Each structure stands twice: as C-alpha cells, then as structure tokens.
Amino acid sequence: MKAPTTTDELYEVLKAFKEKDPNGNGKNDEIPFTTRNKLRGLLAFIEPFGVSFEEDFYVENGQVKYTYTNPKLKEALAFAAKLYREGLIDKEYITNDQKVWESRFTNQLSGITFDSFPRIEYLEKLVAKADPKVNMIGITPLKGPSGNAYTKSQQTLIKNGFAISSKSKYKAELAKMHDWFYCEEGQLAMNFGKLGETYTMENNQPKYTDLIMKDQNKSPLIKMYELGHREFAYQWDIRYENAMVTPKIEKIRDSITPFIKDKFPAALSYKQAERDVLNSKFAEITTYKDEMVNKFIMGAEPLDKFDDYVKNIEKIGLDSVLKIQQASYERYMKR
C-alpha cells in the first residue's frame, strides 16, 4: 500500500495491518499501531483535526485558550476512539514501556508507531533480527477533514534544566561548571561527547567516530544515550543530528519541515501569586483532563459527555488559569 496522506487513508492502512495477516502466522494477532509515548503517542491521529497534544494552550486572534476544551478536540477524540474500538490502536498504549514497545516490533505484531526520526533506524536494526528485509519509512503529517496538514511536534532548543540548592557550599563552583556547558568547548562536549573518542574534527566540523556510527545493534543516537550523552541542561546543536543520521533519515526529517508550526511558548514566567493558582487549579484540571481524555478514547466515557467534561473543567477554575496565561503571554510578547 502507498504511505497514507490523509486520515481516511491511514484508517485503510491500519485495517490492512489488522486484517491481512502481514506477519504471516495465520493468526489475527496484529496490533497495527503502538507507542511508548502514552497519550502523546496518539498525536498523529489528533493534529489532523486542528488541535495538538503538544501544547496545553494555544492562541487564537490574540486570545489564549485551553487545548483540551477546544471544540475541535471532540472530533479528534472521536477518530481516535474509533481506531481504539476496532483494535487498530494498541489497547495498552497508556501503560507501554520501552521494552513492550520494542517487543511489538521484534515479535512482528505492530507496523506503525509515532516517534523521533532516529528511532526509524533503531527499530530497523531490532526488527532485522526477525526479518532482514525490514524497511521502515516516515510519513508527513496527515490531512484531516479540513484538508490541512501540520504538526507542532518538534525538539526544543534547550534540553532540560538545572538548579543549585540554596544550602550548597559550592554555589560559585557549580555555577561555573554549569556556565562551562554553554561555552564552545562545553557545547561540543554536551552535543558530541569526547574529542578523539566519540568524535573528531574535520574541516572544522564535528564527525562521529566508528564507536558511534558502526555499532552493530544500536543506532548512533541510542549509542550516544548509552554513553550518558544529552541528559543535562545545554543548547542542542543541529550538527549532532546531521553527523549521525543516514541520508534516508535526513530526507525523512527534512520532509517534515514545511509542516511544522510554532507551539505555545514554553518559557513563560509567572509571579508567585500566579504560580500559586496554577499549582492548585491547573494541577487539578490537568489530572481530570488526563483521566477523561483517555476514557473518551478507550470508550469508558461516551463522547456525548464532552460538553459536561468542558463544564467541569470550567468549574475547577479554567477562567482564572487562562487569565494568568494571557497576562504571562502578553508579557512574553512584549519582552
């Protein structure tokens, strides 16, 4: 089958995985789509309807609104619920860990997932142990009923964060260490590892060594993770990805670029009084939202109760949360 470009085409591909016995064992045991990313792993089914799990808030005509009360979400959840009901989505998507996710592919039960680009090569190596002819591809964001295709899924510029305890005896030393991560030498170390061991410099550009590039069982990205790379606060350097991906993966990655839309700013700042409200009301809203969205998808709650769900979120205190987000967003835009 051709790679799907619309939600309708995706549905047909998922049905074929479910009904055509692609693993050839004569059993109806296929789980067409699986994920290790919990609810966010279903993003590809949601964004075609004009709403994204990548952001809690979005801006419409200058007004900050809450993603999970967006009327468009109801139609998106209806599509995801249909896929779940027909066994096209992994029934255990909210509990799958890394090992279960991998086993779905190595046991040839699943054929589709949502993940980062380097995982294509990683999964290919895993599946090749069962089927050397494996060929995994990437697809661009799907068109939904509105005919629009986009994604807000993207890597952030800054990875993680750090803090220094007020009780530390070494505040100055720790500050200097953290500051080093943002100088040229520190940036190279955090993005590429150890000079002469994990990378070399050729024509003033970093190039990974065979230790990274030629591991028989792991993709370069996973090998770097194994060595303790990229798990601290630093600025990502796109060259780390360019240096490790194959031409195939690079082509897939770059095909997504025209579809990427900016998401709601993650670096907003709040006054203490605003934080107090968010820590109480928004935390409660988030807990309730997570529970109900999964119930809608899994059929535990009918979607005709979506309006009641929205009203309950409003009762918890959505209006006060939105006022805080609006004020913080406006401060951010004036900076």
Side-chain angles (χ1 to χ4, degrees):
M1 302 181 76
K2 292 182 179 180
T5 59
T6 68
T7 50
D8 287 341
E9 290 175 0
L10 174 68
Y11 176 72
E12 294 303 322
V13 171
L14 290 168
K15 289 270 288 183
F17 268 108
K18 182 69 176 174
E19 299 171 354
K20 303 295 184 180
D21 191 29
N23 63 19
N25 65 359
K27 300 178 182 178
N28 184 21
D29 58 353
E30 283 79 6
I31 304 170
F33 176 89
T34 190
T35 180
R36 65 190 177 105
N37 291 313
K38 310 295 190 280
L39 184 63
R40 183 179 171 276
L42 306 185
L43 189 71
F45 309 132
I46 302 298
E47 286 187 331
F49 294 86
V51 61
S52 179
F53 288 160
E54 281 288 311
E55 54 187 4
D56 285 330
F57 303 95
Y58 65 100
V59 179
E60 189 173 80
N61 298 322
Q63 194 71 30
V64 176
K65 298 185 177 182
Y66 186 46
T67 294
Y68 293 92
T69 55
N70 187 334
K72 295 177 181 178
L73 181 61
K74 185 176 182 179
E75 188 178 7
L77 292 177
F79 179 63
K82 174 185 177 182
L83 301 181
Y84 185 90
R85 184 172 60 251
E86 296 184 17
L88 306 181
I89 290 177
D90 196 330
K91 298 286 187 180
E92 299 174 3
Y93 76 87
I94 58 174
T95 59
N96 282 350
D97 59 15
Q98 175 85 13
K99 289 184 178 180
V100 172
W101 175 72
E102 291 177 359
S103 72
R104 296 283 196 256
F105 289 95
T106 55
N107 292 328
Q108 296 191 299
L109 297 177
S110 295
I112 304 175
T113 192
F114 172 83
D115 221 285
S116 58
F117 302 113
R119 294 286 176 176
I120 295 174
E121 183 182 11
Y122 174 70
L123 286 175
E124 279 191 326
K125 287 188 175 182
L126 282 178
V127 180
K129 297 174 183 178
D131 181 3
K133 296 180 293 183
V134 61
N135 176 37
M136 299 196 75
I137 65 168
I139 63 172
T140 55
L142 302 167
K143 292 180 181 179
S146 66
N148 296 320
Y150 80 101
T151 184
K152 293 194 173 184
S153 179
Q154 55 190 290
Q155 293 180 333
T156 54
L157 179 62
I158 301 297
K159 173 78 171 178
N160 298 330
F162 61 80
I164 298 174
S165 170
S166 62
K167 297 179 181 180
S168 173
K169 297 179 181 179
Y170 306 100
K171 296 185 186 68
E173 291 83 356
L174 288 168
K176 288 179 181 178
M177 181 186 76
H178 289 301
D179 189 56
W180 177 80
F181 291 130
Y182 294 92
C183 72
E184 183 177 358
E185 182 184 22
Q187 285 287 290
L188 284 169
M190 293 306 292
N191 281 279
F192 300 98
K194 187 176 181 180
L195 183 62
E197 183 175 325
T198 60
Y199 81 101
T200 58
M201 295 296 292
E202 295 187 10
N203 298 319
N204 205 34
Q205 293 294 321
K207 181 179 180 180
Y208 286 113
T209 63
D210 288 350
L211 174 68
I212 303 302
M213 297 302 297
K214 294 188 177 181
D215 188 281
Q216 293 298 311
N217 299 311
K218 298 179 177 69
S219 69
L221 176 66
I222 303 305
K223 185 64 177 179
M224 288 296 284
Y225 272 130
E226 184 184 73
L227 295 174
H229 169 60
R230 300 175 65 245
E231 288 305 317
F232 209 66
Y234 68 101
Q235 182 172 302
W236 283 8
D237 185 330
I238 189 61
R239 293 179 301 173
Y240 95 85
E241 191 170 274
N242 291 338
M244 69 169 57
V245 298
T246 61
K248 169 184 173 178
I249 302 301
E250 185 175 359
K251 184 177 180 181
I252 292 170
R253 182 199 66 189
D254 292 348
S255 72
I256 306 297
T257 301
F259 297 91
I260 296 175
K261 287 187 178 182
D262 289 337
K263 55 186 175 183
F264 191 75
L268 297 186
S269 60
Y270 305 99
K271 301 174 182 178
Q272 187 56 53
E274 294 173 333
R275 287 187 178 278
D276 292 341
V277 173
L278 295 178
N279 288 339
S280 58
K281 295 185 182 299
F282 187 56
E284 185 177 351
I285 287 172
T286 298
T287 299
Y288 175 69
K289 171 267 296 183
D290 288 343
E291 177 185 349
M292 289 301 295
V293 168
N294 282 309
K295 282 185 175 181
F296 285 137
I297 292 172
M298 300 170 74
E301 287 284 351
L303 273 164
D304 58 15
K305 289 189 176 182
F306 186 83
D307 292 344
D308 293 335
Y309 148 83
V310 171
K311 290 177 182 177
N312 287 335
I313 287 181
E314 292 172 346
K315 287 179 182 178
I316 294 173
L318 179 61
D319 186 57
S320 60
V321 170
L322 288 176
K323 286 180 179 178
I324 290 171
Q325 294 293 342
Q326 184 74 41
S328 182
Y329 175 73
E330 290 175 1
R331 291 195 296 267
Y332 174 84
M333 296 302 292
K334 291 177 182 178
R335 75 199 191 287

